[in-house]
Amino acid sequence: MSKRTVPADRCDCEVIHEDVVNSVRAKMPKEETLYDLAELFKVFGDSTRIRILWALDEAEMCVCDIAYLLNMTQSAISHQLRVLKQAKLVRNRKEGKVVYYSLDDEHVKMIFDQGLVHINEE
Amino acid sequence: MSKRTVPADRCDCEVIHEDVVNSVRAKMPKEETLYDLAELFKVFGDSTRIRILWALDEAEMCVCDIAYLLNMTQSAISHQLRVLKQAKLVRNRKEGKVVYYSLDDEHVKMIFDQGLVHINEE
DNA sequence: ATTACATATGAATGATTGTTCATATGTTTA
DNA sequence: TAAACATATGAACAATCATTCATATGTAAT
């Protein structure tokens, strides 16, 4: 129906449904928003970070606690905590030598839960 | 208070709060669950895939439509659609030469929304 | 049958990234 | 002040991954 051949800019094929494409394009969010969204999910896309977040959802912990819990080196944990902090997913407070980390966003659990809904679906 | 020195398995530090760690450990989900969760979010962690999913949430589209919309090659889109299909996030139907893709999970939008809530938070 | 076209796919490549190792920083205690 | 320790960080390395390129597959039209 809506067939129409267009010199494709970059895609190496003809457009089939240009009306649909235009309608979708009009409704798409800003490029930047989608980029930020991908960046956020990228942070969730690592099992070490997921485990850290899940642990911190249970209790505030220091770096060493987390390393021990996950059986990983302090350095590896520290690097990942930095990523989580930059993403504003965790915060920390210092008490002497010890640095305690905790969740900085109560939505983390909700994002997890939505993910679990998908996983547990057949 | 709960200080206790333990020969750390793999972490190169002493455990500070073993009671907390044990309590958290008892509440952690299965390793596999968290791994699957990370795998799912990894799929969301790419702006091309995010854009495809967002577009498909608006309308069913064929591969060429999507390539044109996102100004990318048909091949790149096809590769990413395969990833999305494996993650059971999209499904497809064939009509002659043309393959139409659509969302396979109505929770995708909810996961997006949760992510956006975090992003739009200061 | 042959051509045209939509889509899929394997190999190659460049970029990104998680972990390790070595070491630096900062705080506490002796 | 010096030693001990928690944490942070930079460089290096291996692994993963998104895209490209070339080409294969399958369908429709001539």
Side-chain angles (χ1 to χ4, degrees), chain A residues 15 19 58 66-67 77-78 89-90 112 115:
Chain A
V15 177
D19 51 351
E58 297 292 348
I66 302 171
I77 298 300
S78 188
L89 292 170
V90 305
F112 281 178

Side-chain angles (χ1 to χ4, degrees), chain A residues 6 8 11-12 21 25 29 33 39 41 45 54 59 74 86 90-91 95 97 101 105 109 114 116:
Chain A
V6 166
C11 87
D12 42 9
V21 172
R25 175 172 284 142
T33 301
E39 286 303 301
F41 287 125
W54 200 286
Q74 170 271 320
Q86 281 170 346
V90 305
R91 63 167 156 256
E95 203 171 281
K97 288 183 290 191
Y101 282 83
D105 187 331
K109 194 60 173 294
Q114 287 299 321
L116 287 174

Side-chain angles (χ1 to χ4, degrees), chain B residues 63-114:
Chain B
V63 178
C64 179
D65 288 341
I66 302 171
Y68 180 69
L69 171 69
L70 303 184
N71 197 34
M72 294 181 66
T73 63
Q74 170 271 321
S75 179
I77 298 300
S78 188
H79 278 295
Q80 296 299 1
L81 284 169
R82 192 158 65 94
V83 174
L84 293 170
K85 182 122 186 273
Q86 281 169 347
K88 295 185 181 172
L89 292 171
V90 305
R91 64 168 155 253
N92 57 14
R93 77 184 167 83
K94 205 165 182 180
E95 202 170 280
K97 287 182 290 190
V98 182
V99 179
Y100 294 93
Y101 282 83
S102 56
L103 286 194
D104 192 23
D105 186 332
E106 68 284 8
H107 296 100
V108 168
K109 194 60 172 294
M110 294 177 82
I111 294 179
F112 281 179
D113 288 342
Q114 287 299 321

Side-chain angles (χ1 to χ4, degrees), chain A residues 6-18 20-25 27-29 31 33-42 44-48 50-52 54-56 58-75 87-89 98 100 104-108 110-112 114-119 121-122, chain B residues 6-18 20-25 27-29 31 33-42 44-48 50-52 54-56 58-75 87-89 98 100 104-108 110-112 114-119 121-122:
Chain A
V6 166
D9 231 38
R10 186 138 191 308
C11 87
D12 42 9
C13 53
E14 324 290 315
V15 177
I16 311 287
H17 312 87
E18 209 185 5
V20 173
V21 172
N22 287 335
S23 147
V24 168
R25 175 172 284 142
K27 290 183 189 163
M28 291 283 279
E31 192 82 7
T33 301
L34 296 179
Y35 184 81
D36 290 346
L37 205 48
E39 286 303 301
L40 175 65
F41 287 125
K42 205 171 286 181
F44 286 95
D46 175 79
S47 63
T48 297
I50 286 276
R51 289 185 300 161
I52 293 176
W54 200 286
L56 293 180
E58 297 292 348
E60 177 190 66
M61 296 174 94
C62 70
V63 178
C64 180
D65 288 341
I66 302 171
Y68 181 69
L69 171 69
L70 303 184
N71 197 33
M72 294 180 66
T73 64
Q74 170 271 320
S75 178
K88 296 186 179 170
L89 292 170
V98 182
Y100 293 93
D104 192 23
D105 187 331
E106 67 283 9
H107 296 101
V108 168
M110 294 177 82
I111 295 178
F112 281 178
Q114 287 299 321
L116 287 174
V117 167
H118 175 79
I119 288 174
E121 221 162 41
E122 181 47 22
Chain B
V6 167
D9 232 37
R10 185 136 191 307
C11 86
D12 42 10
C13 53
E14 326 289 317
V15 177
I16 310 287
H17 313 87
E18 211 185 3
V20 173
V21 172
N22 287 336
S23 147
V24 169
R25 176 172 284 141
K27 291 183 188 162
M28 291 282 280
E31 192 83 8
T33 302
L34 296 179
Y35 184 80
D36 290 346
L37 204 48
E39 285 303 301
L40 175 64
F41 286 126
K42 205 172 286 182
F44 286 95
D46 175 81
S47 64
T48 298
I50 285 277
R51 289 185 300 161
I52 293 176
W54 200 286
L56 293 180
E58 297 293 347
E60 178 189 66
M61 297 173 93
C62 71
V63 178
C64 179
D65 288 341
I66 302 171
Y68 180 69
L69 171 69
L70 303 184
N71 197 34
M72 294 181 66
T73 63
Q74 170 271 321
S75 179
K88 295 185 181 172
L89 292 171
V98 182
Y100 294 93
D104 192 23
D105 186 332
E106 68 284 8
H107 296 100
V108 168
M110 294 177 82
I111 294 179
F112 281 179
Q114 287 299 321
L116 287 174
V117 167
H118 176 79
I119 287 174
E121 223 163 40
E122 183 48 23

